[in-house]
Amino acid sequence: MALRRGLYDVVQASLTGSIIGNSLLVLGLAVLAGGIRREKQTFDRAAAGVGSTMLSLAAIGLVIPALYHWTAEGAVARHALSPESETALERGLSLEIALVLFCVYLLSLLFSLRTHKHLYAGQDHAAAHDRPAQGARPLLTLLVATGFVAWMSELLVSVVEEATHQLGLTPIFVGVIVVAIIGNAAEHSTAVLVAMKNKMDLAMNIAIGSSTQIALFVAPVLVFASYFIGPRPMDLRFTPFEVLAVGLAVAVVNMVAQDGESNWFEGALLLAVYLVLGIAFYFLP
Amino acid sequence: MALRRGLYDVVQASLTGSIIGNSLLVLGLAVLAGGIRREKQTFDRAAAGVGSTMLSLAAIGLVIPALYHWTAEGAVARHALSPESETALERGLSLEIALVLFCVYLLSLLFSLRTHKHLYAGQDHAAAHDRPAQGARPLLTLLVATGFVAWMSELLVSVVEEATHQLGLTPIFVGVIVVAIIGNAAEHSTAVLVAMKNKMDLAMNIAIGSSTQIALFVAPVLVFASYFIGPRPMDLRFTPFEVLAVGLAVAVVNMVAQDGESNWFEGALLLAVYLVLGIAFYFLP
Amino acid sequence: MALRRGLYDVVQASLTGSIIGNSLLVLGLAVLAGGIRREKQTFDRAAAGVGSTMLSLAAIGLVIPALYHWTAEGAVARHALSPESETALERGLSLEIALVLFCVYLLSLLFSLRTHKHLYAGQDHAAAHDRPAQGARPLLTLLVATGFVAWMSELLVSVVEEATHQLGLTPIFVGVIVVAIIGNAAEHSTAVLVAMKNKMDLAMNIAIGSSTQIALFVAPVLVFASYFIGPRPMDLRFTPFEVLAVGLAVAVVNMVAQDGESNWFEGALLLAVYLVLGIAFYFLP
């Protein structure tokens, strides 16, 4: 796995890619496909609002270490802080933030499976045939997610190495865009299918929920795991452009999710934002 | 024209100025004037929501090249990238983003004139006497907009030169604030008049729609045109403060537009944000 | 007082701390405590929307001088501007922005006490026993607030000096986190109590209103006062991380306030954002 080899840049790029891919590409395709023959589709604002606020918190948690790094760099440049102690501080910060994110993940299970399950109940029932494990068996979901991440990381390293050599693409573009598109194919097809059946609540839940799960569960678990199986502790210091892409993706999702209505043009706007970010990642040196 | 002479800084400043002027000053005046004797005014949340999400996408498209530049600068400083190839990459990025923005503009015409024209229908009908061309004749609107931009650019260069010399104002302040106020006088008066007649849907549409049109139509067309009539290709690399001003303006417009209600104090808040940004541009060295 | 001694860093840290403490910690605790045995709590979207938009304007006003500073620093580095004239420009900018913020504060009194007092009327009536001065006697509130700030500043300096020496905490952590928690204890208990009585309108008003009052009244008054009693004029140039924390806090409050509903998990999310920011301030060198 990428983690074991210490290829943390690649791991972080694939985390970013999964978050913006699910928030913009999956959600955009679902909203576009669902809205193409309808005037509008509606969904429950409360559930979508909680989901997009949770995604925002997750994004804040993930970008803080990078922002911290820019501040600390100034102190290093002024010789007020040694580079070694800066790295140690960043790892400590990342570990504590990972703990907070993981606790929020556990609380979100309590919220969606216990205290407010009726918010999600309708969709689960309706979606029983589409996606049996949704919500009902969290432990199984966790295991599947973990296995999925392991498999994706595996895929990642081989794809990155091949694509970088043969197609002349940069590793960051492959990690953020290519791997995320391949890795999230299941979410893509499920979200688009349920959106076309006018089950927008479930489609929003898959798209936003997958992004949130990556940020609140997969990212912290990778940080914890790096202490045991990685060559050195992993931090959550994403590159500036990754920070930016996650921030913009979350902001746009919030705008679309807040009003409880969607139409094909909002889907096209989400895809356009994804396209603009993809172009920028392609051009990144 | 400024474009032909290659004064791209001035062109970019006037684009920024038009966007923040329409979003904050025009909308602020309209909301304030309309709300001054009423408890509140209501407007259609769906139309305003689509408009402000479209404006956000447009703003993201416009600011990405500047953000890209800051990232690439680091690579140039590390000698990983030559300044020439950085400039070439930035022009390529700007051109592709301009293409995406222009396609979204065409899709927005399809949305507002074909699939969802009923969202805007009421206002057009009601506003038939105020603004006959609104929506009904897009091609004419395009031509008028293009001619208007040409005239504004002309005005721009002469105003900038005079004001800079005689009043001691900086070119960026003249471009962002002075020219935008003069150039958008038509939008100002129309938006304020319809807001006072309690047609807030139309007022929002004029203010947000004008900003969006600048960003999705005028900016890309200027980029395309620079390849033919300019001395060199124009990019979309705005200055950091322009990026900031556009981002904040769009965020504030989203807050005001999301809830479907407005009152005089929200108008005053929009004007205050404009004033704060104007003061900052005045003080910019 | 910290102001008289010219300890402007400490004053600014406590302003930031009060804003994020009220927006995230006080609001988070209130929403969590109020939501713990209820499915959801509702509040008036119009009042909460105006409050959070006002808070956003205030945050924009407060962070502009720091953003201006980063831009101007480039000019200083290029020797296009002397450091002395940069400092003078920043003080001028801070003073004018303080004036705008103060005018908005006066307008907000006009809004909440005169033209739209019915928005806040229900809560005042209901809360007459909990908080008699709320809204009814603005001048008294102003005086109390001013006295409170004076007392807090006093407390601040002694706490900062002691804590820094004895506990090994950094002055910025003490200023932003410790002092704000102690100094806002009154808001904490009141907001939590009224939220538990299901008066969410009042709880939102206390939390968001206190943040806004700090930014629109206390901060400008401190700038004005620094011209008379400080050793030199104070500017509003916050540190990058303070800017970031205020921006993120305001964005999260907007998300929670926009939909007019709250539940315990939204409270937990607000607290988690506060925790993440607190951890980052703790690790700051």
Side-chain angles (χ1 to χ4, degrees):
Chain A
M1 292 203 303
L3 197 64
R4 200 169 288 157
R5 294 210 217 155
L7 301 171
Y8 296 151
D9 289 2
V10 176
V11 173
Q12 287 162 352
S14 77
L15 287 175
T16 313
S18 295
I19 294 171
I20 66 170
N22 279 305
S23 318
L24 296 176
L25 183 59
V26 176
L27 187 59
L29 282 176
V31 169
L32 181 62
I36 211 91
R37 294 231 185 95
R38 297 183 181 88
E39 197 216 309
K40 66 181 176 188
Q41 296 185 290
T42 56
F43 47 89
D44 186 59
R45 289 177 56 216
V50 168
S52 58
T53 307
M54 187 159 56
L55 181 59
S56 307
L57 155 74
I60 290 173
L62 290 187
V63 305
I64 287 285
L67 301 168
Y68 175 85
H69 175 70
W70 301 336
T71 307
E73 253 182 345
V76 172
R78 288 193 311 274
H79 299 287
L81 189 73
S82 72
E84 293 75 34
S85 55
E86 193 214 354
T87 308
L89 283 174
E90 277 173 23
R91 283 181 191 156
L93 176 68
S94 296
L95 184 62
E96 294 197 12
I97 288 179
L99 272 172
V100 174
L101 295 182
F102 194 73
C103 291
V104 171
Y105 181 71
L106 296 180
L107 287 175
S108 79
L109 293 181
L110 182 66
F111 179 78
S112 63
L113 301 176
R114 190 61 56 107
T115 67
H116 285 66
K117 63 180 164 189
H118 59 91
L119 273 185
Y120 306 90
Q123 9 169 320
D124 280 345
H125 186 71
H129 300 284
D130 298 324
R131 230 196 168 202
Q134 167 66 21
R137 294 170 208 155
L139 267 178
L140 183 65
T141 313
L142 291 197
L143 286 174
V144 170
T146 316
F148 176 71
V149 171
W151 170 76
M152 207 172 91
S153 303
E154 199 66 63
L155 172 79
L156 192 67
V157 177
S158 53
V159 168
V160 167
E161 282 174 356
E162 218 164 301
T164 323
H165 285 258
Q166 297 195 351
L167 300 175
L169 299 171
T170 60
I172 194 169
F173 180 76
V174 176
V176 174
I177 306 293
V178 179
V179 171
I181 292 180
I182 302 170
N184 295 325
E187 277 90 349
H188 281 81
S189 51
T190 317
V192 170
L193 281 175
V194 297
M196 288 174 75
K197 291 184 191 162
N198 210 9
K199 294 168 186 161
M200 276 314 285
D201 278 300
L202 185 55
M204 297 288 288
N205 196 15
I206 293 170
I208 298 181
S210 305
S211 297
T212 312
Q213 196 152 322
I214 301 284
L216 293 184
F217 174 71
V218 178
V221 165
L222 287 174
V223 171
F224 303 150
S226 74
Y227 279 82
F228 299 105
I229 65 168
R232 61 181 191 282
M234 184 173 106
D235 60 31
L236 291 171
R237 207 187 80 207
F238 294 88
T239 66
F241 224 85
E242 289 173 339
V243 167
L244 184 81
V246 169
L248 292 176
V250 169
V252 174
V253 168
N254 264 287
M255 285 172 208
V256 172
Q258 290 284 1
D259 64 354
E261 284 183 13
S262 65
N263 55 52
W264 69 264
F265 187 56
E266 288 186 323
L269 287 176
L270 286 166
L271 292 176
V273 173
Y274 188 71
L275 203 56
V276 166
L277 292 176
I279 292 171
F281 275 112
Y282 179 81
F283 275 100
L284 268 193
Chain B
M1 293 202 303
L3 197 64
R4 201 168 289 158
R5 295 210 220 154
L7 301 171
Y8 295 151
D9 290 2
V10 175
V11 173
Q12 287 162 352
S14 76
L15 287 175
T16 312
S18 295
I19 293 171
I20 66 170
N22 279 304
S23 317
L24 296 175
L25 183 59
V26 175
L27 187 58
L29 281 176
V31 169
L32 181 62
I36 212 91
R37 293 227 187 98
R38 298 181 180 90
E39 196 217 311
K40 66 180 175 188
Q41 297 185 289
T42 56
F43 47 88
D44 186 59
R45 289 176 57 217
V50 168
S52 59
T53 307
M54 186 159 57
L55 181 58
S56 307
L57 155 74
I60 291 173
L62 289 187
V63 305
I64 287 286
L67 302 168
Y68 175 85
H69 175 71
W70 301 336
T71 307
E73 253 182 346
V76 172
R78 288 193 311 273
H79 300 288
L81 189 72
S82 72
E84 292 76 34
S85 57
E86 192 215 355
T87 308
L89 284 174
E90 277 173 23
R91 282 182 192 155
L93 176 69
S94 297
L95 184 61
E96 294 197 12
I97 287 178
L99 272 171
V100 174
L101 295 183
F102 194 74
C103 292
V104 171
Y105 181 71
L106 296 180
L107 287 175
S108 79
L109 293 181
L110 181 66
F111 179 78
S112 63
L113 301 175
R114 191 58 59 105
T115 67
H116 285 65
K117 63 180 165 189
H118 58 93
L119 273 185
Y120 306 90
Q123 7 168 322
D124 280 344
H125 185 70
H129 300 286
D130 298 325
R131 230 196 168 203
Q134 167 66 20
R137 293 170 208 157
L139 268 178
L140 184 65
T141 314
L142 292 197
L143 286 175
V144 169
T146 316
F148 176 70
V149 171
W151 170 76
M152 207 172 91
S153 303
E154 199 66 65
L155 172 79
L156 192 68
V157 177
S158 53
V159 167
V160 167
E161 283 174 357
E162 219 165 299
T164 324
H165 285 259
Q166 297 195 351
L167 300 175
L169 299 170
T170 60
I172 195 169
F173 180 76
V174 175
V176 174
I177 306 294
V178 180
V179 171
I181 292 179
I182 302 171
N184 295 325
E187 276 89 351
H188 281 81
S189 51
T190 317
V192 170
L193 281 176
V194 298
M196 289 175 74
K197 290 183 191 161
N198 210 8
K199 293 168 185 160
M200 276 313 285
D201 278 299
L202 185 55
M204 299 288 288
N205 196 14
I206 293 171
I208 297 181
S210 304
S211 297
T212 312
Q213 195 152 324
I214 301 284
L216 292 184
F217 174 71
V218 178
V221 165
L222 287 175
V223 171
F224 303 150
S226 74
Y227 279 82
F228 299 106
I229 65 169
R232 60 180 192 282
M234 183 172 106
D235 59 32
L236 291 172
R237 207 186 81 207
F238 294 88
T239 66
F241 224 85
E242 289 173 337
V243 167
L244 184 82
V246 168
L248 292 176
V250 169
V252 174
V253 168
N254 265 288
M255 285 172 208
V256 172
Q258 290 283 2
D259 64 353
E261 283 184 13
S262 66
N263 55 52
W264 70 264
F265 187 56
E266 287 186 323
L269 287 176
L270 286 167
L271 292 176
V273 173
Y274 188 71
L275 202 56
V276 166
L277 292 177
I279 291 171
F281 275 111
Y282 179 82
F283 275 99
L284 268 193
Chain C
M1 292 204 303
L3 196 64
R4 200 168 289 157
R5 295 209 219 156
L7 301 171
Y8 296 150
D9 290 2
V10 176
V11 173
Q12 287 162 352
S14 75
L15 288 175
T16 312
S18 295
I19 293 172
I20 67 169
N22 279 304
S23 317
L24 297 175
L25 183 59
V26 175
L27 188 59
L29 281 175
V31 169
L32 181 61
I36 213 91
R37 293 228 188 95
R38 297 182 181 90
E39 196 217 312
K40 65 181 176 187
Q41 296 185 291
T42 55
F43 47 89
D44 186 59
R45 289 176 57 216
V50 169
S52 59
T53 307
M54 186 157 58
L55 180 59
S56 307
L57 155 74
I60 291 173
L62 289 187
V63 305
I64 287 286
L67 301 168
Y68 175 85
H69 175 70
W70 301 336
T71 308
E73 253 181 345
V76 172
R78 289 193 311 273
H79 299 289
L81 190 73
S82 71
E84 293 76 34
S85 56
E86 193 214 355
T87 308
L89 284 174
E90 277 173 22
R91 282 181 192 156
L93 176 68
S94 296
L95 184 61
E96 294 197 12
I97 287 179
L99 272 172
V100 174
L101 295 182
F102 194 74
C103 292
V104 170
Y105 181 71
L106 297 179
L107 287 175
S108 79
L109 293 181
L110 182 65
F111 179 79
S112 63
L113 300 175
R114 190 61 56 108
T115 68
H116 286 64
K117 63 181 165 188
H118 58 93
L119 274 184
Y120 306 90
Q123 7 169 321
D124 281 343
H125 186 69
H129 300 286
D130 298 324
R131 229 195 169 203
Q134 168 67 22
R137 294 170 207 157
L139 268 178
L140 183 65
T141 314
L142 291 197
L143 286 175
V144 170
T146 316
F148 176 72
V149 171
W151 170 76
M152 207 173 90
S153 304
E154 199 66 64
L155 172 80
L156 192 66
V157 177
S158 54
V159 167
V160 167
E161 283 173 357
E162 219 164 298
T164 323
H165 286 258
Q166 297 195 351
L167 300 175
L169 299 171
T170 60
I172 194 169
F173 180 76
V174 176
V176 173
I177 306 294
V178 180
V179 171
I181 292 180
I182 303 170
N184 295 325
E187 276 90 349
H188 281 80
S189 51
T190 318
V192 170
L193 281 175
V194 297
M196 288 174 75
K197 291 182 190 160
N198 210 9
K199 293 170 187 159
M200 276 313 286
D201 278 300
L202 185 55
M204 299 288 288
N205 196 15
I206 293 171
I208 298 181
S210 305
S211 297
T212 312
Q213 196 152 323
I214 301 285
L216 293 184
F217 174 71
V218 178
V221 164
L222 287 174
V223 171
F224 303 150
S226 74
Y227 279 82
F228 298 106
I229 65 169
R232 60 181 191 282
M234 183 173 107
D235 60 32
L236 290 171
R237 207 186 81 207
F238 294 89
T239 66
F241 224 85
E242 289 172 340
V243 167
L244 184 82
V246 169
L248 292 176
V250 169
V252 174
V253 169
N254 265 288
M255 285 171 208
V256 172
Q258 289 284 1
D259 65 353
E261 285 183 14
S262 66
N263 54 52
W264 70 264
F265 187 56
E266 288 187 323
L269 287 176
L270 286 167
L271 292 176
V273 174
Y274 188 71
L275 202 56
V276 167
L277 292 177
I279 291 171
F281 275 112
Y282 179 82
F283 275 99
L284 268 192

